[in-house]
Amino acid sequence: MSILAMDYGEKTIGLALVPEGTSTPVPLSPIPNAGKWNLRTDLAPIIKEKKVTTIVLGMPYTLSGERGPQADVVELVAQFLRDETDWTIETVDERLSTQAAARFAKDFNIPIDSAAAMMIAETYVDRHRAGS
């Protein structure tokens, strides 16, 4: 099962892939955020080519664990994708990923949006590894 992780931003959407048979995310090029209808169209070829079975969106909670306005936006996008596609859509807490992603992006010279998506993917994989 391949996993596509997304860091949903207002202008750019970071992407990372956990290829089937591995537990290590790899960065993909970010895509521009042109709205949820375009997101579905933009993701379709990636999902087909990479044989993605699960899409994971980072849910931006506040440090206190509350949902803010951006979390509501991400939830609306997740629900739209669930309603309009047959894709499996999940969310994970991303509240502590921003600073780590910034350091990782700088150290490995990758876009910060892709690094954030990698952190989201790692959180998802770790959570499922612990649950199995």
Side-chain angles (χ1 to χ4, degrees):
M1 115 176 151
S2 293
I3 299 162
L4 181 67
M6 295 175 37
D7 178 50
Y8 189 86
E10 189 175 306
K11 295 180 181 179
T12 306
I13 299 168
L15 301 174
L17 180 75
V18 180
E20 185 172 358
T22 73
S23 60
T24 305
V26 294
L28 299 178
S29 296
I31 59 174
N33 186 346
K36 61 186 180 186
W37 289 99
N38 289 329
L39 177 61
R40 181 180 65 171
T41 304
D42 292 344
L43 291 178
I46 297 168
I47 290 166
K48 185 176 180 181
E49 176 189 337
K50 305 294 185 185
K51 299 182 174 112
V52 171
T53 57
T54 304
I55 298 172
V56 181
L57 282 93
M59 186 61 69
Y61 292 102
T62 64
L63 287 178
S64 63
E66 297 175 12
R67 289 172 59 114
Q70 188 61 22
D72 292 340
V73 170
V74 171
E75 186 57 47
L76 286 172
V77 169
Q79 192 57 52
F80 168 80
L81 292 174
R82 287 182 193 111
D83 292 345
E84 297 293 327
T85 70
D86 61 352
W87 303 335
T88 300
I89 310 295
E90 297 192 35
T91 61
V92 296
D93 186 345
E94 70 164 20
R95 82 181 92 169
L96 299 177
S97 66
T98 304
Q99 289 179 345
R103 286 191 303 272
F104 191 82
K106 183 178 177 186
D107 290 347
F108 291 94
N109 196 31
I110 61 173
I112 190 167
D113 300 312
S114 300
M118 290 175 71
M119 301 291 159
I120 291 164
E122 283 182 355
T123 299
Y124 180 82
V125 168
D126 290 348
R127 183 176 77 186
H128 281 77
R129 186 180 301 139
S132 41

